[in-house]
Amino acid sequence: QVQLVESGGGLVQAGGSLRPSCAASGSILSINSLGWYRQAPGKQRELVAYITSGGSTNYADSVKGRFTISRDNAKRTVYLQMNSLKSEDTAVYYCNAAITGLRGVTYAYWGQGTQVTVSS
């Protein structure tokens, strides 16, 4: 039993900040790469940022310089610090994690999504 639980979305004014988080729980041997995706109405889901087990990060061009992904391995949690938010950032944000279970099998898991709405 492995699950990802997201929180921290909300409604903010353009230029504001949010910091959603995604916590993993269950029978976990290790958490490998972690990523944040988003999907706006009528648009495809897109990768926003990811972080490897070694701490290397990568970002979509649209969020570079504004968003920061980080992880706390002790808390089994990944964060997405979102600054200087724009209306075009409005979307449902999903975390994704490659998790190895106690039997040594690795799967990709998805969080339930958290709504981020930026008003202008």
Side-chain angles (χ1 to χ4, degrees):
Q1 175 65 43
V2 174
Q3 64 177 351
L4 302 178
V5 179
E6 301 180 25
S7 62
L11 173 64
V12 298
Q13 188 175 348
S17 298
L18 285 172
R19 197 192 191 205
S21 63
C22 174
S25 63
S27 301
I28 296 170
L29 180 63
S30 64
I31 302 176
N32 306 113
S33 295
L34 291 154
W36 284 96
Y37 294 73
R38 68 186 181 188
Q39 188 166 25
K43 306 289 288 185
Q44 293 189 35
R45 187 173 298 186
E46 64 174 340
L47 178 65
V48 176
Y50 70 84
I51 184 167
T52 70
S53 60
S56 297
T57 60
N58 205 356
Y59 300 90
D61 288 341
S62 59
V63 307
K64 285 181 179 178
R66 300 188 297 120
F67 290 10
T68 303
I69 188 171
S70 62
R71 62 192 292 170
D72 185 330
N73 291 331
K75 295 182 178 181
R76 293 179 170 177
T77 300
V78 62
Y79 305 90
L80 186 66
Q81 179 67 53
M82 303 187 293
N83 298 325
S84 302
L85 283 163
K86 306 173 181 179
S87 59
E88 51 261 46
D89 296 317
T90 295
V92 177
Y93 284 71
Y94 299 90
C95 64
N96 178 272
I99 294 176
T100 303
L102 296 183
R103 295 187 180 185
V105 180
T106 301
Y107 295 100
Y109 295 87
W110 289 95
Q112 82 281 5
T114 186
Q115 177 71 50
V116 171
T117 302
V118 184
S119 63
S120 61

